[in-house]
Amino acid sequence: MKIMILGLGVIGTTYAYVFQKSGFETAHLIREHNRKKCPDKISVKLLDGRKSKQGEDIEDTYTVAMARQDESYDLIVVSVSGGRLKEAVDTLNQNRIGGTILVLNGVREERKDLDEIMNGRKYILGYPVAGGQIDMEKARLDSVLFGHMMIERKDKAGIDRYDDIISLLNQSGIKAECPYDMLEWIWLHMAINAGVITTAASLGDIKDSVAAARRLMSRAPALREAILTIRECVKVVEARNVDLKNYRNELIPYKIPSLLAGLIMKRMFRTNRLTRQIMELHANKDDLLYVCGSVYEIGKKMNISTPCFDVNYKALLNALE
């Protein structure tokens, strides 16, 4: 497959590296004013969970190829900061780039709103199980990759090249996991993340993201508070006419008694290197605010009571001022 990645962000570049190493052609569409600053090669430090639950340490180099205008691709990977999906699609249209779009970021919109943004373009929703940081000045990617990707079911995607995308993932050592409804799953995942992020913010300086994550992961009482906050945030998702029975497996950790759940989560973070490291590396301010702000705004609009979340969200806003 011929794959284009919009921009040179953490998620897109992590998957582009994996696809390129698996023999696929990759290219990045970079805004003209950023092209001169774009490196030809990026050093990669990857904790790779495709073969081991504890992850394999990889040090390598990724070769960056540039996409050009008036090109068509088998797949276009779009992973942008929250709220910038329309801008991303507009950029593709302005550069006359054709191809099926794989959206790999959180979205708060309803399906009809997404269809309007895409304006007739073929697209499929997914969600990355990866994360990290990228330093453009040092041309260095430091990221974590799990062995699966969340992706829309074939019967709901409505695209021609679905089987080719699944084959791409399989050949790259990535298992496709398909929830009941991908958009609802994204909303649910954003709610869970909002509970975790705002609880971490309530514990201290969220600007020191590594320290904040470590404080949360090492304290069972804090994790218990995170679980209680997640339960509130999940109510916001349920109010959007989402049947939570379709997501029993995702919600099991948050259904058991919170004290026990906190202890289980503390042990999980202590023993699971992949999960621990991705928590420490994820620190994009815009993404944090988009995820938490989306849950907060929708909750208020629908008159959902979220007292713990409200307090912690305000703590996050104050910490990031």
Side-chain angles (χ1 to χ4, degrees):
M1 291 184 77
K2 187 179 174 184
I3 305 162
M4 196 210 80
I5 301 90
L6 182 63
L8 204 62
V10 173
I11 299 300
T13 307
T14 298
Y15 283 108
Y17 164 75
V18 171
F19 295 154
Q20 188 180 89
K21 295 298 289 187
S22 300
F24 297 97
E25 180 183 346
T26 64
H28 295 256
L29 182 65
I30 310 295
R31 293 180 185 275
E32 189 173 352
H33 63 275
N34 287 329
R35 287 176 192 166
K36 291 183 179 179
K37 297 182 290 184
C38 183
D40 296 327
K41 293 185 181 296
I42 293 177
S43 61
V44 175
K45 180 182 179 184
L46 179 67
L47 181 58
D48 185 355
R50 290 176 293 170
K51 296 180 181 179
S52 166
K53 290 184 178 180
Q54 289 303 313
E56 174 187 3
D57 290 302
I58 293 177
E59 296 270 357
D60 203 354
T61 301
Y62 172 64
T63 301
V64 180
M66 291 292 171
R68 294 187 294 270
Q69 293 181 335
D70 302 295
E71 289 273 343
S72 288
Y73 293 85
D74 300 312
L75 185 67
I76 300 170
V77 177
V78 172
S79 178
V80 293
S81 296
R84 297 183 61 190
L85 183 58
K86 184 179 186 306
E87 180 185 338
V89 175
D90 287 344
T91 297
L92 295 174
N93 291 336
Q94 290 160 11
N95 285 274
R96 300 173 296 281
I97 302 292
T100 298
I101 300 173
L102 170 60
V103 179
L104 288 182
N105 49 260
V107 289
R108 60 181 289 176
E109 292 86 357
E110 301 282 346
R111 177 69 70 170
K112 61 180 177 58
D113 301 316
L114 291 176
D115 289 343
E116 184 176 337
I117 288 171
M118 292 298 175
N119 194 25
R121 297 194 66 135
K122 294 289 187 180
Y123 72 98
I124 179 172
L125 294 176
Y127 204 86
V129 194
Q133 300 172 356
I134 190 164
D135 187 326
M136 296 306 299
E137 291 185 4
K138 296 180 180 179
R140 182 168 181 81
L141 171 69
D142 187 357
S143 64
V144 179
L145 176 71
F146 285 69
H148 64 284
M149 177 189 288
M150 307 305 297
I151 197 161
E152 205 157 11
R153 286 165 35 179
K154 185 175 184 178
D155 60 322
K156 294 194 174 185
I159 60 172
D160 299 330
R161 307 208 64 165
Y162 187 89
D163 291 338
D164 292 335
I165 294 172
I166 300 301
S167 179
L168 163 70
L169 295 177
N170 288 338
Q171 291 181 61
S172 302
I174 299 170
K175 179 184 177 183
E177 293 193 6
C178 304
Y180 174 78
D181 182 280
M182 192 67 239
L183 183 56
E184 292 179 352
W185 188 95
I186 290 171
W187 293 343
L188 186 60
H189 191 71
M190 289 174 66
I192 292 169
N193 279 351
V196 172
I197 294 164
T198 54
T199 303
S202 72
L203 297 176
D205 186 5
I206 193 68
K207 291 181 180 178
D208 185 350
S209 59
V210 174
R214 287 175 177 170
R215 279 194 299 271
L216 178 63
M217 291 187 290
S218 65
R219 301 178 183 179
L223 290 168
R224 176 180 180 271
E225 182 181 342
I227 288 162
L228 295 174
T229 307
I230 287 167
R231 289 177 183 173
E232 292 182 354
C233 294
V234 167
K235 291 179 184 177
V236 176
V237 179
E238 187 175 25
R240 301 184 76 175
N241 296 318
V242 174
D243 187 351
L244 298 183
K245 293 179 183 177
N246 295 318
Y247 307 97
R248 286 192 181 94
N249 290 339
E250 290 87 345
L251 292 172
I252 283 174
Y254 315 110
K255 292 289 188 181
I256 61 178
S258 59
L259 182 61
L260 176 60
L263 293 170
I264 292 172
M265 287 183 72
K266 180 181 177 182
R267 183 180 184 280
M268 182 269 293
F269 283 126
R270 187 178 69 248
T271 59
N272 191 310
R273 185 182 174 211
L274 285 162
T275 304
R276 185 171 65 250
Q277 189 156 321
I278 202 170
M279 283 280 290
E280 293 178 0
L281 285 175
H282 188 69
N284 185 300
K285 176 182 174 181
D286 290 340
D287 282 345
L288 299 182
L289 288 174
Y290 175 75
V291 167
C292 299
S294 295
V295 176
Y296 181 82
E297 291 168 19
I298 293 169
K300 292 305 166 201
K301 183 178 180 181
M302 305 186 81
N303 296 314
I304 307 302
S305 176
T306 54
C308 293
F309 175 64
D310 291 354
V311 170
N312 291 344
Y313 176 62
K314 290 171 184 175
L316 173 67
L317 293 180
N318 291 334
L320 293 178
E321 283 184 351

